[in-house]
Amino acid sequence: MDMRLVLVTHPSQEHAERITRGVIDAGLAACVLVTDVKSFYNWENQLNIDDEVVTLLKTSTDKVEMLEKYIETNHDYDVPAIIMLQATANASYGNWLNDQLS
C-alpha cells in the first residue's frame, strides 16, 4: 500500500501536540510519532543548536497536500521543515490507515 511519511520539527512538545491533535482531528494523518531531538542548523549565518520535537506523520498520498497546507498555516516557525517521503506499508496496516483517513 502506497503512503506518505511526513517529518516535521517543532519548537516544543506543546506545539507538536497541538499540530498533531489538529491533523488527526481533521483526518489528515492516521498516526503521528512524537519524539525529542537536538537540531543543529544554520540560521541567519549562525550555527544554532536547539532542543526540538520531531513528528513523523503517517498519511495517504491523496491527503499529503492538505496536510502540508495545514502545517504551514498552523506552525509557529517562519520556515517549518515539512519533509515528505514516499513509503509502502503491509496490507493490513495500509487498510487501517485508509480506514482512518476516509
Side-chain angles (χ1 to χ4, degrees):
M1 185 259 155
D2 196 30
M3 61 179 286
R4 295 291 183 271
L5 299 175
V6 181
L7 185 140
V8 180
T9 54
H10 305 269
S12 67
Q13 186 73 27
E14 294 77 20
H15 185 275
E17 289 180 13
R18 178 173 55 84
I19 296 289
T20 294
R21 290 177 189 277
V23 299
I24 290 189
D25 288 348
L28 300 175
C31 177
V32 181
L33 305 176
V34 182
T35 191
D36 296 330
V37 297
K38 185 170 290 290
S39 295
F40 293 72
Y41 61 95
N42 281 313
W43 184 257
E44 297 178 348
N45 297 318
Q46 183 175 349
L47 176 63
N48 289 268
I49 303 169
D50 290 328
D51 292 325
E52 289 187 297
V53 177
V54 68
T55 53
L56 184 63
L57 302 97
K58 301 173 188 179
T59 193
S60 60
T61 302
D62 62 327
K63 300 276 183 163
V64 76
E65 188 174 316
M66 290 182 292
L67 175 61
E68 180 182 9
K69 287 179 184 175
Y70 181 94
I71 294 166
E72 286 177 339
T73 300
N74 292 283
H75 204 288
D76 290 348
Y77 285 164
D78 292 336
V79 182
I82 305 169
I83 300 166
M84 293 167 267
L85 306 166
Q86 185 172 347
T88 57
N90 59 312
S92 58
Y93 188 84
N95 291 336
W96 174 82
L97 185 132
N98 283 330
D99 288 346
Q100 299 306 303
L101 299 175
S102 58

